[in-house]
């Protein structure tokens, strides 16, 4: 399939700014990145729950879930992870245009792929949150038993073991999830959103 040259961009009648005014907050993507077991799903869902309870427009995009549907055709090879993150970036952009605070929980191991997504957004809309947690701790947590399988060679290209993770150079937020509780981690994120007047 080639790219069509016969496509025209339509500006929407209701603008993103109109939606921010109605919602009483700005929209953005909280881009959680880190190893399996570092706490992405836990924190993305905890922040989402907190925002929902206070009446904010919020939604979670989660790796395991998106790979069941939209990205069920993709594997864990480097080129498929790249396409996984590109598509999720585009989906997150639609959510941000719709006025929501999106919490995305994907390993997103490659700097270049995360930066590609960053460049889809205005500066203040993309908030990279690096969950910095030693692999030994993630492996001890092993919430889904995947590290055990990866060590036995039953899962190929497993991040941190047989596939690389590139830590961000300049993330907006760093959370050491082995030193902070879930509550402390959420406070740090909410503090940032308030400082930047997103909330
Ligand atoms: N080979 C391999 N490497 C890493 N992770 C694996 C793999 N195979 C399956 N899983 C499970 O898939 C989840 C990661 O999917 P993502 O879409 O977030 O990965 S990526 O961003 O494309 O790298 C990941 O979820 P989390 O544990 O929540 O990180 C795993 O449950
Ligand atoms: N500060 C913290 N933030 C997030 N998770 C934490 C924290 N401290 C301990 N945990 C625990 O670590 C595990 C992380 O698992 P999960 O959220 O599924 O990780 P991931 O989505 O990155 O694979 C959970 O069992 C969670 O309770």
């Amino acid at each position: 399939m080639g790219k069509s040259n016969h496509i025209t961009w339509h500006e929407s009648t209701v603008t993103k700014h109109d939606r921010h005014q109605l919602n009483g907050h700005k929209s953005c993507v909280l881009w959680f990145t880190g190893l399996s077991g570092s706490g992405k799903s836990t924190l993305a869902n905890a922040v989402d729950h907190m925002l929902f309870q206070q009446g904010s427009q919020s939604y979670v995009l989660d790796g395991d879930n998106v790979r069941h549907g939209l990205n069920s055709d993709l594997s864990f090879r480097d080129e498929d992870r790249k396409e996984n993150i590109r598509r999720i970036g585009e989906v997150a952009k639609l959510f941000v245009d719709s006025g929501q605070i999106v919490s995305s929980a994907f390993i997103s191991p490659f700097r270049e792929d995360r930066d590609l997504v960053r460049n889809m957004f205005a500066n203040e809309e993309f908030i990279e949150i690096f969950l910095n947690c030693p692999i030994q701790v993630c492996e001890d947590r092993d919430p889904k038993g995947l590290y055990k399988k990866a060590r036995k060679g039953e899962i190929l290209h497993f991040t941190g073991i047989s596939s690389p993770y590139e830590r961000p150079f300049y993330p907006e937020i760093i959370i050491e999830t082995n030193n902070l509780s879930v509550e402390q981690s959420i406070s740090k994120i909410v503090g940032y959103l308030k400082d930047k007047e997103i909330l």
Side-chain angles (χ1 to χ4, degrees), residues 64-170:
D64 280 319
N65 298 352
V66 173
R67 277 177 173 279
H68 271 108
L70 176 68
N71 291 351
S72 59
D73 57 325
L74 300 178
S75 75
F76 286 90
R77 289 178 187 283
D78 291 2
E79 62 272 23
D80 278 3
R81 291 190 199 243
K82 185 182 187 66
E83 176 61 8
N84 185 40
I85 297 310
R86 188 195 67 79
R87 287 185 201 169
I88 291 151
E90 293 289 354
V91 172
K93 189 166 167 57
L94 294 176
F95 274 88
V96 171
D97 279 340
S98 80
Q100 311 230 21
I101 297 174
V102 194
S103 295
S104 74
F106 301 87
I107 296 176
S108 44
F110 301 120
R111 220 171 272 131
E112 186 181 85
D113 301 345
R114 294 191 302 265
D115 286 346
L116 184 134
V117 177
R118 179 184 283 278
N119 288 327
M120 292 178 190
F121 292 91
N123 265 347
E124 64 285 357
E125 285 178 338
F126 183 84
I127 300 162
E128 190 172 29
I129 305 178
F130 174 39
L131 301 189
N132 188 8
C133 186
I135 189 160
Q136 294 81 349
V137 176
C138 296
E139 195 162 353
D140 285 345
R141 290 176 178 169
D142 207 4
K144 300 173 199 154
L146 298 178
Y147 281 96
K148 209 165 283 160
K149 288 189 179 163
R151 288 286 180 203
K152 284 199 261 173
E154 291 171 15
I155 306 178
L156 302 178
H157 313 290
F158 195 79
T159 306
I161 293 179
S162 42
S163 184
Y165 178 83
E166 299 172 354
R167 41 194 298 154
F169 289 138
Y170 306 110

Side-chain angles (χ1 to χ4, degrees), residues 32-46 62-64 105-107 131 133 137-138 141-144 146-147 175-186:
F32 292 88
T33 174
L35 294 169
S36 179
S38 60
K40 302 180 298 295
S41 300
T42 302
L43 290 183
N45 280 286
D62 191 280
D64 280 319
F106 301 87
I107 296 176
L131 301 189
C133 186
V137 176
C138 296
R141 290 176 178 169
D142 207 4
K144 300 173 199 154
L146 298 178
Y147 281 96
I175 299 181
E176 294 183 349
T177 64
N178 56 323
N179 291 327
L180 293 187
S181 66
V182 172
E183 291 68 29
Q184 289 168 323
S185 306
I186 296 170

Side-chain angles (χ1 to χ4, degrees), residues 1-7:
M1 256 194 312
K3 281 189 187 170
S4 170
N5 293 320
H6 307 294
I7 296 173

